[in-house]
Amino acid sequence: MIYRYIPKEYIEYLDNEDRSFLNDIFLYYQGFPNLNQLWNLMDKVWDEFKCDPLIFGENINKFYEHPVWLLNGLYIEQDKISLHHRKEFTSWVISKKPSRIADYGGGFGSLARLISKVNSDIKIDIVEPHPHPLAIYLSSKYENVNFVPKLKDNYDILISTDVFEHVPDPIDLVEKISLKIKKNGYFLIANCFQPVIKCHLKQLLHLDIGWDQIMIELGTEPKEVVSYGRAYQIVGKANKQSAKSLEKKIKIIY
């Protein structure tokens, strides 16, 4: 069953758990699940590992290493809506004519590879805590795309899509990684602070109504909307204390 839905060259980069999981999924759904079905599968795995959104430990690490995230990566590359979003991000990135960019939490590497196909001169780093061997293999076909263990310095653009709703302290993380962007460079962010899936942490849902204002306190200027995200230009220094104070007010309003 698995050979009907993914290229044969992918198989050698999957372990037995990957193969068994994908085969069962493709058999059950007679192909790829739809988005809601994929989210339900993720919630099932979240519950199986007894993940607690307030406790970041081994259980949550196991959750993000589960083959359901491989399925998510493969799903993105054949889903028209997901591809449309990534093509919108790609067009925006290309329009800024960057030399070096990073995709923080770049997952399966789909966006980085799309950008490389349009402009192979852009150096692209992917920072992903749980990179799958198949993702690494696919990106290795592009000389300008590399998975790296941590961000470097002086990026023209830093991309982070569907990341901050998964981390315990988005404000702290934004403050730290925005330092890796050049002055007047861009931070392209797309969030989903909505309770559509259990790994979108419930303690962060208030950020759905105040993210732009927090980003201003963190030294950026909100710019154009890009697909379901927004570009932010680095214009000053982050004031994390001010951002945290604003977050408390937003939480009360929420």
Side-chain angles (χ1 to χ4, degrees), residues 49-219:
F49 285 125
K50 296 181 171 59
C51 295
D52 185 334
L54 299 177
I55 302 173
F56 271 68
E58 188 59 29
N59 286 5
I60 286 184
N61 285 333
K62 289 179 180 178
F63 169 71
Y64 285 112
E65 292 170 353
H66 190 277
V68 74
W69 290 98
L70 167 63
L71 176 64
N72 182 70
L74 294 168
Y75 169 86
I76 286 170
E77 302 211 338
Q78 56 81 51
D79 177 66
K80 291 181 180 178
I81 295 175
S82 298
L83 286 174
H84 173 74
H85 290 317
R86 280 151 186 80
K87 288 176 181 177
E88 291 280 303
F89 294 142
T90 296
S91 295
W92 179 86
V93 168
I94 296 299
S95 74
K96 298 301 179 184
K97 300 179 180 179
S99 297
R100 295 181 66 242
I101 67 175
D103 190 354
Y104 187 84
F108 203 57
S110 304
L111 178 56
R113 286 183 273 117
L114 276 175
I115 294 169
S116 180
K117 286 177 183 178
V118 179
N119 187 337
S120 61
D121 292 328
I122 301 172
K123 296 186 182 301
I124 308 170
D125 289 338
I126 305 172
V127 178
E128 168 54 46
H130 308 280
H132 193 279
L134 177 56
I136 295 172
Y137 162 69
L138 292 173
S139 293
S140 72
K141 296 182 177 184
Y142 302 85
E143 293 184 0
N144 59 318
V145 178
N146 291 287
F147 276 89
V148 297
K150 61 182 181 179
L151 291 170
K152 300 173 185 176
D153 291 308
N154 295 316
Y155 291 105
D156 299 300
I157 298 173
L158 199 158
I159 305 164
S160 192
T161 62
D162 303 305
V163 170
F164 295 118
E165 59 265 40
H166 298 267
V167 301
D169 192 340
I171 291 175
D172 183 65
L173 184 57
V174 168
E175 183 211 21
K176 288 178 179 177
I177 66 178
S178 62
L179 294 173
K180 304 299 184 179
I181 309 171
K182 291 179 180 178
K183 181 70 179 294
N184 297 319
Y186 291 91
F187 207 155
L188 178 59
I189 298 174
N191 298 320
C192 181
F193 293 113
Q194 294 285 337
V196 293
I197 185 171
K198 292 181 179 180
C199 58
H200 290 184
L201 304 181
K202 61 184 180 181
Q203 66 266 34
L204 303 178
L205 301 182
H206 59 280
L207 293 174
D208 188 55
I209 64 171
W211 186 257
D212 280 358
Q213 289 71 30
I214 285 173
M215 288 299 294
I216 291 171
E217 298 300 326
L218 292 174

